[in-house]
């Protein structure tokens, strides 16, 4: 625990105490010689020594100052002199001597708020540097609490008391102390900012924001209030507003590396990637080796769809800090995104080895994140046993596992044919996350898979009520219907969703896709074209429509244009590359088709549909042996159209186990 600024002992005594000494000197009786003589050897002599101590302090000769104060106390002991010496000892890091003098000051004047505050502050300072000083911390708290209860606490005392209570995790008492001081004193930005911080930690973000806005209304230059309000807004998902709150700090300090970095992170969170990159580049110019800035710039590049520049930043961050868990993790995510699973697993494995002891919250967090991604890769490769273990490791490492973790675990069991285990995992997840819409929806999906449409509808209606009938709730239901191959049910929900949210592009896409799966090609094509009129760069819609036309072998030139536009939006998307290769195949342009299909196979983790497309290409090129190898590899990956592939294999004369 570090000592707050408001409790650090000053080198120079307080002006108020010096004023009391001057006043005491002026009040010395001068009417008779005997009194003057007595005073000369008492109080006046003590004041003279006190003045010498002041001069010594001014010259930074602290040992000499302490000697003068000790002589002054010996000449004329007083609570004020003891406090001066206590604070001087504290500034010299002589904590035991400081505490002793402060206790003497309180003994000499038990009711003195200044003496009690001095002792409380020294005890707090001692406790901050000594983890074993619990008793001193308790005594410090009691002294500060007494001052607050008597309405004699200064701002620093109230802040110190609240900090002690906050430090031991008693946020309610910390807030109460600050609220009590606030009621009986004039407005204090320091008190309001600290109270806002406590409210934030209590989850009372709205009240915290109100306090901080009040501070900024009176003092726009309060940096601490701006920083904390921006943090609150970011956490609340209001990143754009957070940007505007924080922007004056960065604009007012163009050479401040942290200010430019922080604004850059907020801009990234708000989706303003171009300006984020500009700010972060500026920060990097001022501090070229700053790992935090390199990582943040990597995130900004990733957000703008430039994984290559993003990877370059993460790699530089890792070179600067070989122990960086974050750099390794995001390099793994990029490798995973381009289906380079061996590279991704190697990076995640390094993270798991580095954090295996889980000795810190950061280690536990990255252990959990890496375990989840490893489990996801294992799941995609159909290694269900290993995937289950990895996801379980992730759950155990998390203090509050996400519904995404439980959802993946359920899907692993379902795909492994372990329906009862899947249902048990789902119940476990719902017991820990009873408000999870995703887990509720997953329950409806399982019911649909079992043909229990009425029960599924009841679950979906509950999901909609929980989600206030907003777009995200409908999307989860439509996706569940799609995964359960319940096209008819999906169409019904899509119609209702469109009726409630006619402006939603996401719902329009899902409805068009469901129409295609139901065999309503004309309606699906019309729906996709309508969507693309309002969203001409909707990559998923461009790809879906182009592939659908190619599959039906109609309007191939137009299909080519759609898919080319999709690939221009997402150049590394394996599904889009497959679509482009397939359209070229349909057009008879085999060289272009082979180039894109080969890339798609690599980027799709050898998806069986993509492999089948490549096999068809080889067959068309007169390469039957290559076609046979490719079809057999597709069979290894459990294709949906297994019978069609078996037929192609038989035509090639294959009658082995795969047939």
């Amino acid at each position: 625990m570090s000592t707050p600024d408001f409790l650090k002992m000053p080198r120079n005594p307080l002006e108020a105490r010096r004023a009391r000494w001057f006043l005491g000197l002026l009040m010395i009786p001068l009417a008779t010689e005997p009194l003057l003589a007595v005073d000369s050897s008492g109080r006046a002599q003590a004041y003279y020594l006190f003045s010498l101590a002041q001069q010594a302090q001014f010259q930074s000769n602290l040992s000499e100052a302490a000697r003068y104060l000790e002589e002054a106390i010996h000449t004329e002991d007083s609570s004020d002199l003891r406090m001066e010496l206590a604070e001087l000892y504290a500034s010299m890091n002589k904590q035991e001597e400081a505490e002793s003098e402060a206790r003497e000051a309180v003994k000499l004047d038990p009711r003195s708020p200044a003496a009690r505050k001095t002792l409380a502050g020294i005890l707090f300072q001692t406790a901050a540097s000594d983890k074993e000083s619990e008793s001193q911390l308790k005594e410090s708290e009691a002294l500060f609490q007494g001052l607050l209860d008597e309405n004699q606490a200064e701002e620093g005392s109230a802040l110190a008391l609240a900090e002690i209570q906050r430090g031991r995790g008693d946020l309610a008492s910390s807030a109460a102390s600050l609220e009590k001081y606030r009621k009986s004193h004039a407005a204090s930005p320091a008190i309001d900012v600290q109270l806002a911080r406590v409210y934030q930690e209590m989850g009372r973000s709205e009240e915290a924001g109100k306090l901080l806005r009040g501070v900024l209304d009176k003092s726009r230059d309060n940096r601490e209030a701006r920083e904390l309000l921006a943090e609150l807004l970011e956490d609340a998902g209001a990143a754009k507003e957070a940007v505007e709150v924080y922007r004056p700090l960065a604009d007012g300090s163009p050479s401040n590396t942290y200010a430019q970095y922080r604004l850059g992170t907020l801009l990234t969170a708000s989706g303003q990637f171009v300006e984020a990159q500009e700010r972060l580049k500026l920060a990097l110019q001022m501090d070229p080796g700053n790992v935090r800035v390199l990582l943040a710039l990597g995130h900004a590049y990733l957000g703008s769809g430039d994984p290559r520049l993003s990877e370059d930043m993460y790699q530089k961050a890792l070179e600067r800090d070989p122990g960086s868990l974050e750099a390794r993790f995001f390099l793994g995510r990029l490798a995973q995104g381009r289906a380079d699973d061996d590279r991704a697993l190697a990076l995640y494995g390094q993270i798991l080895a580095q954090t295996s002891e889980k000795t810190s919250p950061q280690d536990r967090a990255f252990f959990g994140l890496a375990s989840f991604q490893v489990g996801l890769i294992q799941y995609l490769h159909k290694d269900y046993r290993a995937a289950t273990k990895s996801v379980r490791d992730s759950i155990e490492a998390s203090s509050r596992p996400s519904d995404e973790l439980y959802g993946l675990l359920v899907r692993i069991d379902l795909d492994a044919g372990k329906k009862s285990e899947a249902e048990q995992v789902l119940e476990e997840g719902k017991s820990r996350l009873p408000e999870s819409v995703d887990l509720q929806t997953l329950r409806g999906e399982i019911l649909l898979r079992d043909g229990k449409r009425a029960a599924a509808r009841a679950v979906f209606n509950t999901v909609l009520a929980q989600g206030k009938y907003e777009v995200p709730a409908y999307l989860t239901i439509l996706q569940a219907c799609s995964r359960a191959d319940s096209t008819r049910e999906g169409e019904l929900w899509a119609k209702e969703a469109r009726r409630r949210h006619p402006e939603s592009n996401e719902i329009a896409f899902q409805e068009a896709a469901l129409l295609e799966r139901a065999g309503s090609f004309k309606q699906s094509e019309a729906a996709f074209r309508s969507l693309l009129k309002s969203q001409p760069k909707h990559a998923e819609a461009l790809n879906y429509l182009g592939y659908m036309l190619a599959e039906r072998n109609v309007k191939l030139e137009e299909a080519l244009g759609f898919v080319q536009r999709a690939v221009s939006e997402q150049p590394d998307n394996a599904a889009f590359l497959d679509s482009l290769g397939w359209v070229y195949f349909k057009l008879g342009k085999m060289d272009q088709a082979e180039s894109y299909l080969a890339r798609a196979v690599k980027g799709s983790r050898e998806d069986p549909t993509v492999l089948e497309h490549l096999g068809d290409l080889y067959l068309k090129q007169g390469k039957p042996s290559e076609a046979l190898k490719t079809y057999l590899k597709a069979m290894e990956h459990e294709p949906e159209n297994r019978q069609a592939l078996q037929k192609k294999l038989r035509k090639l004369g294959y009658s082995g186990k795969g047939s």
Side-chain angles (χ1 to χ4, degrees):
M1 172 169 38
S2 61
T3 307
D5 289 339
F6 53 77
L7 277 179
K8 290 178 180 174
M9 296 300 168
R11 283 195 171 189
N12 295 319
L14 299 173
E15 292 299 324
R17 190 170 301 146
R18 181 181 294 171
R20 286 201 300 274
W21 271 91
F22 275 115
L23 184 60
L25 184 63
L26 290 172
M27 292 177 67
I28 295 172
L30 298 176
T32 63
E33 288 186 10
L35 284 175
L36 181 60
V38 169
D39 190 74
S40 297
S41 61
R43 180 175 292 187
Q45 179 66 15
Y47 180 76
Y48 172 69
L49 291 166
F50 171 75
S51 299
L52 293 176
Q54 293 290 289
Q55 293 178 39
Q57 278 188 274
F58 183 76
Q59 296 167 355
S60 298
N61 193 341
L62 302 186
S63 298
E64 187 75 0
R67 186 176 67 79
Y68 283 131
L69 282 173
E70 289 164 357
E71 289 183 27
I73 289 169
H74 183 73
T75 302
E76 175 87 9
D77 202 355
S78 73
S79 179
D80 282 347
L81 280 174
R82 293 279 184 177
M83 281 188 280
E84 289 292 341
L85 186 55
E87 292 179 2
L88 180 60
Y89 279 146
S91 70
M92 297 168 70
N93 291 320
K94 293 184 174 183
Q95 297 302 122
E96 290 186 13
E97 293 89 337
E99 181 181 336
S100 176
E101 292 300 328
R103 290 191 185 281
E104 287 299 320
V106 173
K107 282 183 184 179
L108 288 166
D109 190 355
R111 300 301 304 162
S112 167
R116 284 182 286 158
K117 179 195 172 188
T118 299
L119 177 56
I122 288 170
L123 289 169
F124 186 91
Q125 190 175 13
T126 301
S129 59
D130 184 356
K131 294 180 181 179
E132 304 300 323
S133 56
E134 185 65 28
S135 62
Q136 289 157 309
L137 201 60
K138 287 182 179 179
E139 186 180 358
S140 176
E141 181 179 357
L143 287 163
F144 282 133
Q145 186 69 61
L147 291 168
L148 184 65
D149 292 342
E150 296 166 16
N151 199 27
Q152 292 182 324
E154 299 172 356
E155 180 183 283
S157 297
L159 289 168
L161 174 60
E163 184 64 20
I164 292 171
Q165 293 163 332
R166 177 173 171 244
R168 61 179 166 81
D170 190 353
L171 295 176
S173 293
S174 181
S177 296
L178 293 167
E179 289 165 347
K180 185 173 183 177
Y181 179 86
R182 194 170 180 268
K183 285 180 181 178
S184 57
H185 292 79
S188 161
I191 292 289
D192 285 357
V193 169
Q194 187 64 9
L195 182 55
R197 183 171 283 105
V198 175
Y199 280 161
Q200 178 196 28
E201 293 174 7
M202 296 174 74
R204 296 163 63 179
S205 298
E206 188 173 338
E207 293 166 273
K210 186 177 179 181
L211 279 172
L212 294 169
R213 292 182 195 281
V215 171
L216 290 175
D217 284 343
K218 296 173 184 176
S219 176
R220 291 184 55 80
D221 295 332
N222 191 306
R223 186 179 193 90
E224 196 174 1
R226 281 197 179 278
E227 288 177 342
L228 187 54
L229 181 57
E231 183 180 324
L232 278 171
L233 291 167
E234 183 184 21
D235 290 344
K240 287 186 178 179
E241 189 179 354
V243 166
E244 298 314 312
V245 167
Y246 194 87
R247 189 184 294 279
L249 295 180
D251 289 344
S253 305
S255 60
N256 185 310
T257 302
Y258 177 79
Q260 302 307 320
Y261 156 78
R262 181 66 179 119
L263 181 57
T265 62
L266 291 171
L267 286 162
T268 296
S270 68
Q272 301 176 66
F273 302 118
V274 174
E275 188 184 353
Q277 291 163 20
E278 292 172 357
R279 295 284 183 167
L280 292 166
K281 286 176 185 176
L282 180 59
L284 203 59
Q285 287 174 6
M286 293 184 281
D287 189 359
N290 191 304
V291 173
R292 298 306 312 166
V293 178
L294 287 166
L295 290 168
L297 188 52
H299 300 337
Y301 282 135
L302 193 60
S304 63
D306 197 334
R308 292 175 180 81
L309 281 175
S310 178
E311 185 167 11
D312 184 49
M313 291 300 107
Y314 295 143
Q315 191 60 51
K316 286 180 179 177
L318 189 60
E319 289 167 5
R320 295 289 301 183
D321 179 11
S324 173
L325 296 169
E326 189 174 347
R328 269 194 175 79
F329 179 77
F330 281 99
L331 284 169
R333 294 287 287 124
L334 286 170
Q336 194 175 349
R338 60 175 181 264
D340 187 355
D341 291 340
D342 289 341
R343 167 74 171 154
L345 288 170
L347 288 161
Y348 295 144
Q350 291 167 5
I351 292 173
L352 294 174
Q354 194 173 335
T355 61
S356 60
E357 298 297 323
K358 299 185 280 291
T359 54
S360 70
Q362 183 192 45
D363 282 359
R364 286 193 295 275
F366 275 101
F367 184 90
L369 288 168
S371 294
F372 174 76
Q373 296 301 329
V374 169
L376 183 57
I377 292 172
Q378 292 164 335
Y379 167 63
L380 293 173
H381 286 278
K382 298 182 173 56
D383 188 353
Y384 299 129
R385 179 178 296 182
T388 297
K389 181 184 182 306
S390 294
V391 178
R392 276 291 177 194
D393 286 346
S394 183
I395 289 173
E396 290 171 9
S398 174
S399 57
R400 191 176 187 275
S402 67
D403 49 13
E404 189 178 13
L405 280 167
Y406 282 108
L408 177 57
L409 202 52
V410 170
R411 297 201 180 286
I412 291 169
D413 284 333
L414 286 175
D415 287 5
K418 299 178 179 179
K419 184 172 174 293
S420 60
E421 287 90 336
E423 291 180 336
Q424 289 174 9
V425 171
L426 183 57
E427 290 307 311
E428 177 189 337
K430 286 167 64 179
S431 69
R432 297 189 70 172
L433 301 165
E435 302 301 317
S436 170
V437 171
D438 287 343
L439 292 180
Q440 286 275 16
T441 309
L442 190 50
R443 177 60 184 158
E445 179 185 331
I446 291 174
L447 290 168
L448 276 183
R449 287 171 181 253
D450 290 342
K452 300 175 181 177
R453 293 175 63 185
R457 286 176 187 172
V459 171
F460 290 155
N461 279 317
T462 301
V463 168
L464 287 174
Q466 281 183 289
K468 299 179 180 179
Y469 297 89
E470 296 294 337
V471 170
Y474 278 106
L475 287 175
T476 61
I477 292 170
L478 294 176
Q479 289 158 4
C481 292
S482 177
R483 285 191 298 264
D485 290 326
S486 185
T487 304
R488 185 177 300 176
E489 191 69 20
E491 284 185 275
L492 295 174
W493 288 109
K495 286 179 181 178
E496 179 182 329
R498 284 285 282 167
R499 188 170 61 251
R500 282 185 179 269
H501 301 284
E503 77 294 341
S504 170
N505 295 320
E506 295 92 339
I507 288 174
F509 175 83
Q510 292 294 332
E511 184 182 36
L514 283 163
L515 286 167
E516 184 271 334
R517 292 191 192 104
S520 302
F521 299 117
K522 288 185 179 180
Q523 294 95 316
S524 176
E525 181 180 343
F528 276 124
R529 289 183 184 277
S530 176
L531 172 58
L532 289 170
K533 280 184 181 179
S534 61
Q535 292 288 313
K537 293 187 176 182
H538 195 300
E540 288 78 10
L542 287 165
N543 176 70
Y544 205 118
L545 179 55
Y547 185 77
M548 182 176 72
L549 293 173
E551 278 287 271
R552 294 168 58 207
N553 211 33
V554 298
K555 304 174 185 176
L556 292 177
E557 290 294 343
E558 195 175 9
L560 178 63
F562 286 135
V563 180
Q564 284 175 330
R565 286 161 59 190
V567 171
S568 70
E569 292 296 322
Q570 297 182 23
D572 297 320
N573 189 309
F576 295 2
L577 294 171
D578 171 60
S579 296
L580 186 53
W582 193 234
V583 175
Y584 276 128
F585 173 82
K586 293 284 187 174
L587 286 167
K589 299 179 179 180
M590 299 304 162
D591 289 343
Q592 293 99 317
E594 184 173 2
S595 172
Y596 285 107
L597 290 174
R599 284 175 59 193
V601 167
K602 184 178 179 182
S604 67
R605 298 180 178 84
E606 299 186 337
D607 180 274
T609 300
V610 183
L611 283 166
E612 184 180 0
H613 287 163
L614 186 58
D616 291 349
L617 172 72
Y618 287 144
L619 197 60
K620 194 78 171 179
Q621 290 175 325
K623 302 175 183 177
S625 61
E626 291 296 322
L628 178 62
K629 290 178 185 176
T630 307
Y631 288 148
L632 287 173
K633 188 173 288 186
M635 291 292 286
E636 294 173 5
H637 293 274
E638 300 179 18
E640 293 180 4
N641 58 336
R642 189 175 187 85
Q643 289 183 347
L645 263 176
Q646 287 174 336
K647 186 176 180 181
K648 291 179 181 181
L649 285 167
R650 283 195 292 271
K651 282 186 177 181
L652 288 170
Y654 182 78
S655 57
K657 294 180 180 179
S659 62

